[in-house]
């Protein structure tokens, strides 16, 4: 009986300790929200054991809680076990000229939520037509990015328009022409061994669709998407590792040796945007200016010498 009593007491203490440790994480999680200027889109971010983002458009759950992080070569994981970030909110309503675009001027209006930690942060922007986020670092010298985790989880097994990589160059997984047709399949029916380029489109029903994109790429790997093999209702990022050696096959560069990291870059910089464009009607997808709004400002001060017109491209001639 004494042994039984000791076992029961030990079990009860274990339950108490597990509950206590869980409550610590629960208490440390903090929630932040931001809305689009028209109030239709609501972004919710939780920061604690992980950083997770979720997005609602009116009564539609667009993105369910999805984890984001960035792993450095040192093993440090930005976005994990975070404590008391400094949260700053701001509103922007401006415009910029676009002399070679379908519009001469783009309206840039959004509400921003910035979570700042010791030497890095995450910026979220909520537009009337979507949500975007990016990592920001402020460190000395260079940093090496081992991997980045971007998740896009959905509430249902929705139909998706998937541009698979289906014509690899010389069998190299990341060497591709980016000329995919779109397969119309449910998320659960996506090929588990295949990658998709962006944009990938998900049909939420009732006319609403969401396009997943990455923007403002510089000195960094582009984002591919793969199905979440556990849930079959989410998409996860995959990145090509940095090519160390390669050869030319026609006009294609084929990597023959890759590093164990995806980028070696400046320690103080902004990273590419991960974005979802939300449309209520299909015409909204054609009208979005998200790529222009999230691009870095032009570094060419004088564009008068650039004359748009007809051109002849030798590859197509």
């Amino acid at each position: 009986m004494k042994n039984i009593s000791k076992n029961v007491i030990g079990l009860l203490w274990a339950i108490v300790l597990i509950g206590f440790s869980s409550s610590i994480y629960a208490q440390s999680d903090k929630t932040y929200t931001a809305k689009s200027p028209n109030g239709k889109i609501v972004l919710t971010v939780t920061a604690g054991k992980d950083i997770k983002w979720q997005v609602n458009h009116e009564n539609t759950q667009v993105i369910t809680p999805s984890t984001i992080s960035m792993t450095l070569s040192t093993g440090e994981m930005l976005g994990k076990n975070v404590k008391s970030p400094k949260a700053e909110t701001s509103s922007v309503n401006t415009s910029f000229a676009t002399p070679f675009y379908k519009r001469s001027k783009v309206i840039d209006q959004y509400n921003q939520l910035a979570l700042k930690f010791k030497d890095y942060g995450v910026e979220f922007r909520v537009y009337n037509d979507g949500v975007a986020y990016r990592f920001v670092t402020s460190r000395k010298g260079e940093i090496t990015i081992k991997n980045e985790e971007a998740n896009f989880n959905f509430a249902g097994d929705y139909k998706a328009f998937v541009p698979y990589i289906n014509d690899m160059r010389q069998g190299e997984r990341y060497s591709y022409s980016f000329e995919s047709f779109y397969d119309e399949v449910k998320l659960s029916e996506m090929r588990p061994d295949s990658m998709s380029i962006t944009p990938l489109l998900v049909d939420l029903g009732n006319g609403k669709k969401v396009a997943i994109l990455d923007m403002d790429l510089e000195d960094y790997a582009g984002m591919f998407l793969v199905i979440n093999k556990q849930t079959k209702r989410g998409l996860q990022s995959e990145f090509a590792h940095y090519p160390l050696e390669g050869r030319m096959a026609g006009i294609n560069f084929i990597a023959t040796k890759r590093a164990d990291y995806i980028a070696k870059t400046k320690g103080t910089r902004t990273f590419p945007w991960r974005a979802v464009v939300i449309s209520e009607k299909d015409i909204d997808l054609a009208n979005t200016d998200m790529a222009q709004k999230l691009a870095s400002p032009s570094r060419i001060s004088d564009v008068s010498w650039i004359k748009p017109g007809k051109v002849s491209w030798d590859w197509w001639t």
Side-chain angles (χ1 to χ4, degrees):
M1 289 293 292
K2 288 182 179 179
N3 289 336
I4 294 175
S5 298
K6 288 180 179 179
N7 290 337
V8 170
I9 292 172
L11 179 61
L12 290 174
W13 269 112
I15 292 172
V16 169
L17 289 173
I18 291 171
F20 178 70
S21 61
S22 299
S23 67
I24 290 175
Y25 278 124
Q27 290 171 8
S28 64
D29 284 357
K30 293 190 176 182
T31 301
Y32 308 87
T33 60
K35 292 184 178 181
S36 59
N38 63 10
K40 287 187 176 183
I41 299 177
V42 179
L43 164 73
T44 303
V45 179
T46 58
K49 186 178 180 181
D50 301 289
I51 295 179
K52 294 181 180 179
W53 67 306
Q54 65 185 77
V55 180
N56 282 56
H57 182 278
E58 295 181 316
N59 297 322
T60 302
Q61 197 169 23
V62 178
I63 300 293
T64 62
S66 300
T67 305
I68 62 174
S69 69
M70 184 176 284
T71 303
L72 306 185
S73 60
T74 58
E76 182 183 358
M77 298 182 72
L78 310 185
K80 298 291 185 181
N81 298 316
V82 298
K83 296 180 180 179
S84 303
K86 180 181 179 182
E88 296 180 354
T89 58
S90 58
S91 296
V92 172
N93 188 1
T94 184
S95 63
F96 55 89
T98 49
F100 313 118
Y101 184 50
K102 62 186 177 184
R103 302 182 228 283
S104 60
K105 181 175 71 173
V106 167
I107 304 299
D108 194 18
Q109 183 182 18
Y110 59 88
N111 292 323
Q112 179 164 290
L113 166 66
L115 300 183
K116 297 184 177 181
F117 304 94
K118 182 181 178 181
D119 50 12
Y120 78 95
V122 186
E123 295 177 350
F124 297 87
R125 290 183 183 178
V126 190
Y127 294 87
N128 287 335
D129 61 345
V131 177
Y133 77 85
R134 67 179 175 184
F135 278 88
V136 179
T137 54
S138 54
R139 300 189 173 199
K140 294 180 180 179
E142 280 191 338
I143 56 174
T144 301
I145 311 301
K146 190 93 170 179
N147 196 21
E148 183 184 341
E149 175 189 23
N151 284 285
F152 305 86
N153 296 324
F154 296 93
D157 189 13
Y158 299 120
K159 181 173 75 172
F161 298 80
V162 186
Y164 288 116
I165 287 181
N166 53 19
D167 185 20
M168 292 183 290
R169 299 298 193 258
Q170 304 290 310
E172 213 280 330
R173 183 171 174 83
Y174 304 105
S175 295
Y176 183 59
S177 65
F178 293 84
E179 297 173 314
S180 301
F181 293 105
Y182 279 75
D183 288 15
E184 297 182 32
V185 295
K186 289 185 177 180
L187 288 169
S188 62
E189 297 171 346
M190 284 182 61
R191 302 169 195 163
D193 61 346
S194 298
M195 293 190 307
S196 168
I197 59 175
T198 62
L200 185 151
L201 190 70
V202 178
D203 188 345
L204 303 178
N206 298 318
K208 289 185 182 180
K209 295 183 176 69
V210 54
I212 302 172
L213 310 98
D214 59 335
M215 256 87 80
D216 199 25
L217 298 175
E218 183 174 348
D219 195 24
Y220 202 81
M223 182 177 71
F224 297 96
L225 295 171
V226 296
I227 188 65
N228 184 318
K229 295 179 182 179
Q230 281 70 47
T231 69
K232 298 292 184 69
R233 292 185 178 184
L235 297 160
Q236 299 174 319
S237 59
E238 182 172 329
F239 298 90
H241 284 198
Y242 188 84
L244 296 174
E245 297 176 6
R247 59 184 175 82
M248 296 302 297
I251 63 170
N252 301 292
F253 175 84
I254 309 299
T256 56
K257 182 179 179 181
R258 291 185 180 273
D260 63 350
Y261 55 84
I262 63 175
K264 184 175 286 186
T265 186
K266 294 181 293 185
T268 298
R269 61 163 293 176
T270 58
F271 287 84
W273 291 101
R274 317 301 175 203
V276 291
V277 171
I278 304 167
S279 66
E280 297 183 66
K281 303 182 295 296
D282 285 351
I283 193 173
D284 297 336
L285 295 170
N287 282 334
T288 183
D289 298 317
M290 191 66 78
Q292 283 68 33
K293 290 184 290 191
L294 294 177
S296 294
S298 174
R299 298 169 194 172
I300 303 174
S301 56
D302 177 17
V303 297
S304 62
W305 57 273
I306 303 175
K307 305 297 182 184
K310 295 181 179 180
V311 299
S312 177
W313 185 21
D314 62 340
W315 179 245
W316 280 357
T317 299

